[in-house]
Amino acid sequence: MKLVGTPFVRRLLPVFVLLVLGLLWHGGRHEGDIAAVLVWALAILALVALEIRRGIDRERALRTTRAAQEGAAETLRLFLDNLPALAYVKDHESRIVAASEGFRRIHGIDPESIAGKRSEEIFPGDFGRRIVEEDRQVLEGGKPITFADRVGDRHLESIKFPIPHRDGPPGIGGITFDVTERRHAEARLRESELRLRLIGDNLPDAYIFQYA
């Protein structure tokens, strides 16, 4: 059985039991002191009950605070994992501290498998080196920077920003969007405008009208 209450209560209970037993023994030998024994016993018992009540309230408040913190952390995790992008936090050496499920959707990489790894380890070659260089620029500049990258046939757009720490060098936060569809749409629009311009430039003067 778990003893509820503060350390003070846990220390006080054995003393209370011994004191009550002593007072009862003394009261048994001196019948006139029974009332005094009961008063002392009730006073000590009330003190113990009050401390136990305070201990229960503190434990309940602690459980409530812990549940709220766990709920907030879970809400943040769900937000990041369902963000239509990938989000991450790195240390000053470009090592992944935390990453969202976006890594799995965009790069096909389990986010848990890259914790503690440098970007060059995750993405060998030019792309990984570019990421490290971008991280360096963010740390040296001390302000958010937007970067555009291309990986194969996919276009990525990232915003990275420094995360200051009280102790030690700052880290890096970032959000990367896959903007491939947007870039394709922009390219199709440019091609359409170019075709219209070529058609307009090659029309005979007789087909050009001006409306006032």
Side-chain angles (χ1 to χ4, degrees):
M1 179 179 176
K2 183 179 178 181
L3 184 61
V4 179
T6 63
F8 171 73
V9 171
R10 290 191 285 271
R11 290 193 299 269
L12 183 61
L13 278 177
V15 177
F16 166 71
V17 172
L18 291 175
L19 181 59
V20 170
L21 290 176
L23 289 173
L24 288 174
W25 176 79
H26 178 77
R29 297 178 59 189
H30 304 82
E31 295 182 0
D33 294 336
I34 292 179
V37 170
L38 291 177
V39 170
W40 275 101
L42 289 174
I44 296 174
L45 183 60
L47 178 61
V48 172
L50 178 61
E51 284 298 317
I52 290 176
R53 178 72 263 172
R54 289 174 177 171
I56 292 173
D57 290 342
R58 280 191 287 268
E59 290 184 7
R60 183 179 294 120
L62 182 61
R63 286 195 299 268
T64 301
T65 301
R66 187 181 297 117
Q69 292 173 341
E70 292 174 352
E74 178 64 15
T75 299
L76 179 59
R77 170 54 60 182
L78 291 173
F79 167 77
L80 292 175
D81 286 345
N82 289 279
L83 188 71
L86 64 85
Y88 46 87
V89 176
K90 303 179 184 179
D91 65 12
H92 66 287
E93 295 182 336
S94 197
R95 296 185 186 278
I96 295 290
V97 176
S100 72
E101 278 291 320
F103 267 91
R104 195 190 308 275
R105 292 192 297 271
I106 293 178
H107 295 298
I109 297 175
D110 180 2
E112 294 184 1
S113 69
I114 59 177
K117 292 185 178 180
R118 286 173 54 86
S119 297
E120 291 171 310
E121 299 176 72
I122 303 168
F123 304 106
D126 291 340
F127 181 50
R129 287 190 289 272
R130 287 203 307 273
I131 293 175
V132 173
E133 173 60 20
E134 292 170 359
D135 294 346
R136 184 191 64 79
Q137 292 179 33
V138 171
L139 291 176
E140 290 184 354
K143 60 182 180 181
I145 303 179
T146 300
F147 300 95
D149 292 296
R150 183 168 181 174
V151 184
D153 60 350
R154 289 183 297 113
H155 297 269
L156 304 177
E157 191 171 281
S158 303
I159 180 167
K160 301 183 180 182
F161 48 91
I163 301 176
H165 294 296
R166 292 182 179 177
D167 301 319
I172 304 166
I175 301 176
T176 298
F177 295 89
D178 187 337
V179 295
T180 304
E181 288 302 320
R182 190 182 76 190
R183 293 296 175 83
H184 288 171
E186 291 171 349
R188 289 192 296 268
L189 179 60
R190 286 194 299 270
E191 292 174 1
S192 177
E193 291 174 345
L194 178 60
R195 285 196 298 269
L196 290 173
R197 187 177 300 112
L198 290 173
I199 292 173
D201 290 344
N202 289 280
L203 282 175
D205 292 342
Y207 289 93
I208 301 177
F209 300 91
Q210 180 176 357
Y211 297 89

